[in-house]
Amino acid sequence: MSELVLPGGLRDRAVRPGDRRYPLLRSTYTRVSAPSLVLLPESPAEVAASLEVARDSGLPLSVRSGGHGLSGRSSNDGGIVLDVSAMNGVEVLDEDARLVRVGAGARWANVAAALAPHGWAISSGDHGNVGVGGLATAGGIGWLARSYGLTIDHIRAAEVVLPDGRLVRADATHEPDLFWAVRGAGDGVGVVVAFEIEATPLRTVGFGQVVVEADRDGDTLRRWSEYVAAAPHELTGSAVLFADGADVAAQFTAVVASDDQDLVRELIAPLAEFGVRPLSSGAQLAPYPALVSTGHLHPNVGQQPSTTTNALLPALTEASARALMEVAAGPQRTLVQLRALGGAINEVAPDATAYAHRHQQVLAILTQFPPGGGTELDAAAAPLAPYADGAYRNFESRPDDDTFRRAFPGATGDRVRALRERYDPGGLLQRVAAAEPARPR
């Protein structure tokens, strides 16, 4: 990269191999990478200059907000990484409207801490180290999903640097097509540098974890899914399956968007009834920032190698729940995580944003850890494939054309492709995809 000439304003923002900062910036949470150059712009003008450098270089380009980067494209080998983590401010724009400007480089732990004195929250993933930009351009399934909806459902405007270097504001009346695309497919149309997001009034939540022995036929999972789907919107839930020989335990985590202790107990207690037998349980009230704590913050240096895929599902049937149990108990030792959807998520019209999945009730996330990889994951996921009804891009570590079709079905996909062509006709933001190896991996 010594032959690549950087404009003066970017020279101090450049990190190359050999720089003491490079080991902390080269990788994602799940993959060690070796980019030739990491750029750390601090303004929209520097983002535009970074895009010009990338365009002229012909190299693959990854855009990163600084978080986990599970989708696999926020770093690369031999290319350029445009890292907006320095653009991380959190500013209240309108106290009465609870409107907050959040820099794309912030992490959600910092956002939660900044909003706590106001008694507000933004539903934002389930870990404080997740970056704002990556989540808020793809969807945003978090601890408050059923009460608040997706993060993108409360974005009121976005500041976007387009691939040609222009800085534009996208909202319902200015660049409405771009605004539609930013909310679900934002990584393909520009580099979002800031969002205006409407927060919700919330200081305290109920938090509970219940562990049960799960039956192998899937009845435990089916009953859990049906219960959460019918529950008040205050309840959002997740489940993790742990296999131990012939036995499988299900850990249910529940968050209740309320400080009413009676309601918290009422909504969490039934979870213990869904298994063959209860193993442990507990519930408490906690400040919302405790769920996405600043204690979660850490650099991403490839410390958790893994391969992940996912499937969106309607409310679980006997067959699909049994398939999930087959995956969890299979010889590949695949980690199975489930996120409850529905509620406020499904009250938004499917064509309102580029995230069209507004009827599914469950997101199933399947992960393989070394020595297993893509081949083992694909074999493990096979029993679930007949029941899949869409995909969420942020939990797919090998995004490809099939992922695109599942994430952007039908007319949504047609519109996303057309807008990519309009705003990024040279395919600058797609270079990293073209440089990736094909499955399996």
Side-chain angles (χ1 to χ4, degrees), residues 47-401:
V47 170
S50 299
L51 290 172
E52 183 176 3
V53 168
R55 182 171 55 251
D56 293 345
S57 74
L59 293 172
L61 171 67
S62 294
V63 179
R64 180 168 69 204
S65 62
H68 280 167
L70 185 60
S71 62
R73 291 184 176 172
S74 58
S75 193
N76 61 67
D77 294 325
I80 296 172
V81 175
L82 196 171
D83 184 317
V84 299
S85 58
M87 304 175 70
N88 57 13
V90 181
E91 174 189 2
V92 174
L93 298 178
D94 187 327
E95 188 88 23
D96 293 335
R98 301 188 302 279
L99 190 64
V100 184
R101 183 183 185 275
V102 183
R107 302 196 191 188
W108 288 108
N110 302 122
V111 177
L115 298 185
H118 301 274
W120 303 344
I122 296 172
S123 186
S124 49
D126 58 8
H127 194 278
N129 199 52
V130 171
V132 166
L135 181 135
T137 54
I141 296 172
W143 287 125
L144 307 176
R146 296 187 71 257
S147 61
Y148 180 84
L150 301 176
T151 309
I152 61 171
D153 297 337
H154 295 270
I155 294 174
R156 302 296 175 244
E159 299 167 31
V160 188
V161 179
L162 299 178
D164 64 10
R166 289 181 293 146
L167 173 66
V168 300
R169 175 186 173 86
D171 59 29
T173 56
H174 304 89
E175 297 278 359
D177 285 340
L178 181 63
F179 185 52
W180 179 89
V182 160
R183 294 170 297 156
D187 63 320
V189 292
V191 179
V192 181
V193 295
F195 303 88
E196 294 178 11
I197 308 177
E198 182 183 341
T200 189
L202 185 73
R203 292 185 182 275
T204 303
V205 297
F207 177 83
Q209 287 190 323
V210 176
V211 181
V212 301
E213 180 184 339
D215 72 284
R216 292 292 294 269
D217 288 336
D219 186 60
T220 297
L221 296 185
R222 180 184 57 78
R223 294 177 64 195
W224 167 79
S225 174
E226 292 175 350
Y227 170 72
V228 178
H233 286 13
E234 286 89 345
L235 177 65
T236 296
S238 67
V240 182
L241 303 182
F242 299 96
D244 182 15
D247 297 327
V248 178
Q251 176 181 283
F252 299 129
T253 299
V255 173
V256 181
S258 173
D259 60 1
D260 182 333
Q261 295 188 49
D262 292 336
L263 179 63
V264 170
R265 282 192 291 266
E266 176 186 336
L267 293 180
I268 293 178
L271 297 174
E273 302 172 4
F274 298 149
V276 176
R277 59 190 176 95
L279 301 176
S280 67
S281 64
Q284 61 183 318
L285 294 178
Y288 176 74
L291 303 185
V292 286
S293 166
T294 53
H296 293 171
L297 298 174
H298 58 73
N300 297 299
V301 293
Q303 62 266 55
Q304 184 58 81
S306 60
T307 309
T308 295
T309 191
N310 73 91
L312 288 162
L313 305 165
L316 296 184
T317 63
E318 290 184 9
S320 60
R322 188 180 303 112
L324 282 166
M325 294 300 296
E326 183 178 344
V327 175
Q332 294 86 2
R333 312 296 292 178
T334 301
L335 176 67
V336 177
Q337 302 177 72
L338 307 177
R339 309 291 171 88
L341 308 176
I345 295 174
N346 292 7
E347 293 175 349
V348 176
D351 61 354
T353 68
Y355 182 95
H357 306 290
R358 303 294 183 165
H359 67 274
Q360 296 88 340
Q361 296 290 343
V362 175
L363 170 65
I365 305 158
L366 314 181
T367 302
Q368 271 283 320
F369 300 98
T375 300
E376 291 79 6
L377 181 62
D378 292 340
L384 191 61
Y387 311 103
D389 184 21
Y392 180 50
R393 297 165 68 232
N394 273 14
F395 285 113
E396 175 56 67
S397 59
R398 301 168 297 161
D400 56 16
D401 290 341

